[in-house]
Amino acid sequence: MPSTPAAATAAQVRRLATSAADADELAARISVCRACPRLVEWREDVAVAKRAAYADQPYWGRPVPAFGPPDASIVIVGLAPAAHGANRTGRNFTGDRSGDFLYAALHRAGLASQPEASHAGDGLTLTGARIIAAVRCAPPQNKPTTVERQTCAPWLDADLGLSSGVVRSIMCLGLIGWDAAIAAVRHAGWTVPRPKPKFGHGARATLRTPEGREVALVGCYHVSQQNTFTGRLTEQMLDDVIGSL
């Protein structure tokens, strides 16, 4: 069986993202990407050094593909894997408190099979929802550079393309997710209101696909501990946004 090609440059990311035949091939290509040297070094260093609490566990230490069915009507766009969360478990929002907050809300809404997400083999499944990150590797201090975001963008373009015929709502966690989603749909030829919609919790805008179908763009504060521990984002606030999708 031929090996999965690994992107090492931005141009290779674009070529491999646009030529992936299906969701499985796209996920495989994402998982071996090495196009951003700083992120490659960081994610792999974290996977070797580990956090003391997880010293006995293997770390994924690679880019993290989307999670959920590609024909989902709801797409959730986050920022990037957490160093000891998805960078450890290999699944978006799995293994950290941000994920605990998000999956509990998705479970309350009937979109997740269980409220906890501890590891990639824990049995959690999503129904009607798909989670994608704007940047697929864990960045230092959770801050990808502009160039890293641009390099990774074709993976998001391709993932959104898989759902373009069925998606009805795109929920963006934080400003980076909002900006990345808008850029991706523009790349796909969708109509985005002008001036560019401003991000905010509960912010909404109507996008239009080239076929004329309307899709809601919905903003939500990120489920990071900085927001959930301080009360900037509460369970009710998150439930309200998910309920509006």
Side-chain angles (χ1 to χ4, degrees):
M1 180 178 292
S3 60
T4 300
T9 66
Q12 290 173 352
V13 170
R14 289 192 296 272
R15 177 174 60 81
L16 292 172
T18 56
S19 63
D22 53 31
D24 289 340
E25 185 173 32
L26 180 62
R29 292 180 175 187
I30 288 170
S31 70
V32 295
C33 182
R34 302 184 67 83
C36 298
R38 186 183 77 114
L39 298 188
V40 171
E41 181 179 12
W42 171 255
R43 79 191 190 205
E44 294 180 356
D45 284 350
V46 169
V48 172
K50 303 184 180 182
R51 177 173 285 174
Y54 310 123
D56 62 339
Q57 298 183 18
Y59 270 58
W60 173 254
R62 296 160 60 186
V64 179
F67 173 49
D71 60 350
S73 61
I74 297 171
V75 172
I76 300 171
V77 181
L79 168 55
H84 303 283
N87 188 56
R88 173 173 59 89
T89 64
R91 194 176 69 193
N92 285 315
F93 288 105
T94 299
D96 59 27
R97 292 188 177 181
S98 296
D100 293 343
F101 199 85
L102 176 62
Y103 284 117
L106 293 176
H107 182 256
R108 290 193 293 272
L111 300 171
S113 62
Q114 60 192 45
E116 301 91 10
S118 57
H119 57 88
D122 60 12
L124 172 65
T125 59
L126 297 180
T127 301
R130 182 171 173 84
I131 300 177
I132 306 170
V135 174
R136 304 310 173 97
C137 294
Q141 300 178 329
N142 292 320
K143 294 180 180 179
T145 67
T146 299
V147 171
E148 289 163 352
R149 289 161 57 182
Q150 291 171 344
T151 299
C152 207
W155 297 130
L156 178 61
D157 295 351
D159 258 318
L160 283 176
L162 294 171
S163 302
S164 63
V166 294
V167 63
R168 70 167 189 265
S169 301
I170 301 174
M171 174 181 166
C172 304
L173 297 172
L175 177 60
I176 288 179
W178 179 267
D179 286 345
I182 289 175
V185 298
R186 280 179 171 163
H187 293 162
W190 295 25
T191 300
V192 179
R194 294 188 181 276
K196 175 185 169 183
K198 293 183 178 180
F199 172 76
H201 184 78
R204 298 182 70 90
T206 300
L207 311 173
R208 192 177 298 276
T209 70
E211 298 75 29
R213 202 168 53 82
E214 292 186 351
V215 177
L217 180 73
V218 184
C220 180
Y221 290 149
H222 198 279
V223 291
S224 66
Q225 294 182 50
Q226 293 93 325
N227 288 334
T228 60
F229 279 20
T230 62
R232 186 169 189 248
L233 178 65
T234 65
E235 288 187 359
Q236 187 61 58
M237 291 169 65
L238 181 55
D239 287 350
D240 288 345
V241 169
I242 293 174
S244 74
L245 300 176

